[in-house]
Amino acid sequence: MNAEPHVPEPVAVIGLSCRTAGADDAQSLWQLLRAERRLIGPVPEQRVPSVDAGPVDARPMQAALLDDVAGFDAAFFGVSRRMAAWMDPHQRLLLELTWHALENAAIAPDRLRGEPVAVFAAAPMADYRERMIRADVVDSAAFPGTLITFTANRISYQFDWTGPSYAVDSACSSGLSVLAPAVQGLRAGEFSLAAVMAANITCNGFYTSSAYQAGALSPTGDSVPFSTRRDGYVRGEGGACLLLRRLADARRDGDPVYAVIRGVGVGHNGRAGGLTGSDAPAQTQLFLRTARAAGVPLSSVGYVEAHGTGTGGDLAEAAAVTEALRTALEMPQAQVAGPEGKLWIGSVKSNIGHLEAAAGLLGIVKAVLILRHGLIPPIAGLDRPDPALSFGDLPVALADRPVAWPRGAEVRRIGVNSFGVGGALAHAIVEEAPEETVGAPTWTGTGPLAVPLSAMNRTGLSALAADLLRTVRGPRPPDLAALAWTTQTGRAGLRERRVLVAAGLTGLAEALAAVAAEQPHGQVAATDRKDALGHLPTPMAHTAGDWLDGLPADWAKHWPHPRPHCPDLPGYPFQRSPHWFDAHGPAAR
């Protein structure tokens, strides 16, 4: 009798964060995807200086830029102003994204100090260093500030993590390639938690000039993937961070599970496709190999988040998807698993540009959002699909309209694809979270709950309360018990502290409004004003008092099992100020 094929252990996404043009977090990214917004606009000259398109007839440069790449909350991370000024903006952005991903996973950073957490980062462009070279300036702080290795090593140092820590460079497939060592190491038991991250910032003209002259960048700045308007890619800025654990460990410990990574495959074109092109057959084989290694039929994938750069690579990628599906459908009883019995193809690059080294990881974030919200958003701006695209008689379709894809009897899966200019390929299969991890048990105790809030100073505390107030008063307010549990056990205890006492969301909103306005309130306790704690059950009041005084506080002892899952709460409101190596850095827009 033949042995059952080995199915590798799934890996859970337990926390995520992102920042792109027009979106400071995953929730706002989803809103712009739903609205089909395109965040592409003109680039001020000082923002990316010395761009020379050469013989290319290019319009003024267009890109999807972050509002502020010079801003950084150096004091929050204990970084001196001099060090921050000479630190590559990629490192700054990844520090913030890692903090927010930990918050999204309801993990207080202090819990992980000294732990073998792994860090895998996509190696970014060297624009900041090239800008220093152009200015002919140097400082000793630029040594750790601009070396690519510190893209990962700075994170490990800052959070005091002792697991493997390195950057991966496979060009535009780097953001997806970094998933491979994380998934492999988790399955092998080399570490129990991995942080996978990527960022992309453009602030110098050298790469942009060479990309224009090589025909890679869109001369019009209006390129749309898979359309008649695809004439090269449009650059985008931003980044993402994912926290990964083995699914079994995450479910055992009650971690939030946003989605599951079933498999990651990497490869290369070889000589096919040329030095800088991409090869359809090589991608087809990678798709099939990744599904086979993951132990799932490729026909069970209902949507592909394509690399979709708006270049000639679109045709090769579409052909690869089509041929892979044709092969998969030759299997007995195989059917296309996507909505309406089709395999759908989309690309986030039409919304936020091509994030280059971070592109693949943003594709994973989009896949997680699709599975969570049950909707495939359209390719923004796709008014005229490229007639050169051919899917033959196969049920393959471009996402030219919103397509509902709710949870059903069959497990939903998404393929995320990426390839680099040097021929490196990467593909991942993302699966919806197990249904039992989706619900949120409620508080079974009696009496009001303590909601602790803390920040570095009063300004930060006021901003944090205001952000949380908007969430509580929003269209999908969190469960009070889940909110209390998350703020008690899943946030850092910073210098400025308050404890809000609430029996319901209405009372919590009133207390949050008072903290946001820096006004006293009968349900808000501070270090020098603890009367409000008298409304809590006595054991919880003692714990809250200890926490306000900066003493160890065991909140978990007050909670029964199972504990409520983490809701989507706003991340810490960093107080950014400009940090740049000279006086001519880009101003915030």
Side-chain angles (χ1 to χ4, degrees):
M1 179 180 294
N2 293 332
E4 289 291 324
H6 172 69
V7 177
E9 188 170 9
V11 170
V13 178
I14 66 166
L16 62 85
S17 63
C18 68
R19 186 177 168 200
T20 69
D24 284 337
D25 52 35
Q27 289 82 4
S28 51
L29 175 61
W30 179 248
Q31 293 305 316
L32 73 85
L33 292 175
R34 285 285 311 268
E36 302 178 46
R37 293 179 60 201
R38 301 192 70 205
L39 276 297
I40 296 167
V43 177
E45 181 180 356
Q46 182 56 29
R47 185 67 156 75
V48 186
S50 303
V51 173
D52 179 9
V56 177
D57 183 17
R59 299 177 189 172
M61 184 181 175
Q62 303 280 309
L65 300 179
L66 297 176
D67 287 338
D68 182 11
V69 294
F72 177 56
D73 194 343
F76 181 89
F77 291 101
V79 176
S80 70
R81 290 191 59 83
R82 174 168 162 260
M83 180 64 77
W86 293 89
M87 184 192 299
D88 193 306
H90 291 101
Q91 294 182 31
R92 307 178 204 161
L93 178 56
L94 290 177
L95 284 170
E96 295 184 357
L97 288 172
T98 304
W99 187 276
H100 282 160
L102 288 166
E103 290 186 322
N104 188 245
I107 299 175
D110 284 350
R111 285 168 43 195
L112 298 178
R113 287 194 178 278
E115 295 295 317
V117 179
V119 176
F120 302 103
M125 297 284 188
D127 279 25
Y128 201 55
R129 180 170 60 194
E130 290 168 357
R131 190 162 173 150
M132 292 176 188
I133 294 170
R134 177 174 170 269
D136 194 24
V137 293
V138 70
D139 187 277
S140 61
F143 181 69
T146 61
L147 290 179
I148 297 299
T149 187
F150 282 95
T151 310
N153 295 168
R154 172 83 69 173
I155 304 300
S156 299
Y157 171 82
Q158 180 70 40
F159 292 94
D160 194 16
W161 294 341
T162 61
S165 177
Y166 56 83
V168 173
D169 186 358
S170 61
C172 299
S173 63
S174 300
L176 206 55
S177 295
V178 290
L179 276 176
V183 169
Q184 292 165 3
L186 286 166
R187 287 173 172 167
E190 296 172 7
F191 39 82
S192 61
L193 177 65
V196 178
M197 60 196 68
N200 194 56
I201 301 293
T202 175
C203 60
N204 188 61
F206 177 80
Y207 172 79
T208 299
S209 300
S210 65
Y212 267 132
Q213 297 186 34
L217 285 184
S218 166
T220 65
D222 190 38
S223 181
V224 176
F226 303 108
S227 80
T228 56
R229 291 150 60 194
R230 58 166 188 82
D231 61 354
Y233 79 84
V234 179
R235 300 191 75 182
E237 289 185 325
C241 178
L242 303 182
L243 296 181
L244 307 178
R245 293 192 74 192
R246 289 183 294 272
L247 178 60
D249 293 345
R251 294 171 73 178
R252 179 198 66 212
D253 295 341
D255 293 326
V257 177
Y258 295 107
V260 172
I261 308 295
R262 287 302 302 260
V264 184
V266 292
H268 193 274
N269 292 322
R271 286 199 167 188
L275 180 63
T276 60
S278 188
D279 178 59
Q283 290 188 64
T284 296
Q285 290 306 310
L286 180 62
F287 299 164
L288 295 169
R289 189 168 72 247
T290 303
R292 187 165 54 248
V296 300
L298 189 137
S299 58
S300 69
V301 173
Y303 171 76
V304 172
E305 174 60 22
H307 198 53
T309 55
T311 66
D314 290 4
L315 298 180
E317 189 172 18
V321 171
T322 303
E323 187 56 33
L325 182 62
R326 187 185 306 281
T327 302
L329 291 179
E330 292 176 357
M331 303 296 291
Q333 300 179 326
Q335 294 181 339
V336 180
E340 302 176 17
K342 299 177 182 178
L343 174 62
W344 298 83
I345 300 175
S347 174
V348 73
K349 293 177 182 61
S350 62
N351 302 95
I352 58 174
H354 185 356
L355 269 67
E356 296 160 339
L361 215 52
L362 262 296
I364 296 288
V365 171
K366 180 182 173 183
V368 173
L369 292 171
I370 288 172
L371 294 171
R372 292 193 69 200
H373 293 278
L375 180 76
I376 298 172
I379 300 172
L382 182 62
D383 49 359
R384 297 187 301 275
D386 190 337
L389 289 170
S390 176
F391 303 124
D393 57 350
L394 292 175
V396 180
L398 295 176
D400 56 358
R401 55 184 171 85
V403 181
W405 194 17
R407 181 182 289 268
E410 300 298 324
V411 176
R412 296 170 299 163
R413 297 190 179 104
I414 290 176
V416 181
N417 196 48
S418 194
F419 50 84
V421 68
L425 309 174
H427 190 79
I429 296 178
V430 183
E431 182 177 286
E432 65 185 357
E435 192 163 14
E436 63 268 27
T437 67
V438 174
T442 56
W443 169 247
T444 58
T446 58
L449 288 164
V451 177
L453 296 182
S454 71
M456 293 294 285
N457 50 44
R458 289 194 175 187
T459 301
L461 189 70
S462 176
L464 179 62
D467 289 346
L468 190 53
L469 179 60
R470 281 188 288 272
T471 300
V472 168
R473 288 179 172 170
R476 299 178 63 184
D479 174 78
L480 176 61
L483 186 152
W485 165 257
T486 303
T487 56
Q488 288 176 11
T489 65
R491 294 293 185 269
L494 303 175
R495 287 198 295 264
E496 193 72 26
R497 303 185 179 198
R498 301 289 185 275
V499 171
L500 286 62
V501 178
L505 290 180
T506 300
L508 176 62
E510 294 173 357
L512 285 168
V515 176
E518 299 188 26
Q519 297 294 324
H521 189 277
Q523 298 300 105
V524 177
T527 304
D528 58 349
R529 191 178 63 253
K530 298 181 180 178
D531 292 350
L533 300 184
H535 299 287
L536 290 170
T538 302
M540 187 174 285
H542 286 313
T543 302
D546 287 344
W547 182 83
L548 283 172
D549 292 336
L551 299 173
D554 184 8
W555 295 100
K557 67 184 180 182
H558 304 294
W559 290 82
H561 294 275
R563 289 157 181 167
H565 294 168
C566 173
D568 289 325
L569 300 182
Y572 186 82
F574 296 112
Q575 297 171 256
R576 303 183 182 102
S577 59
H579 293 83
W580 208 254
F581 69 90
D582 61 21
H584 305 290
R589 292 196 294 176

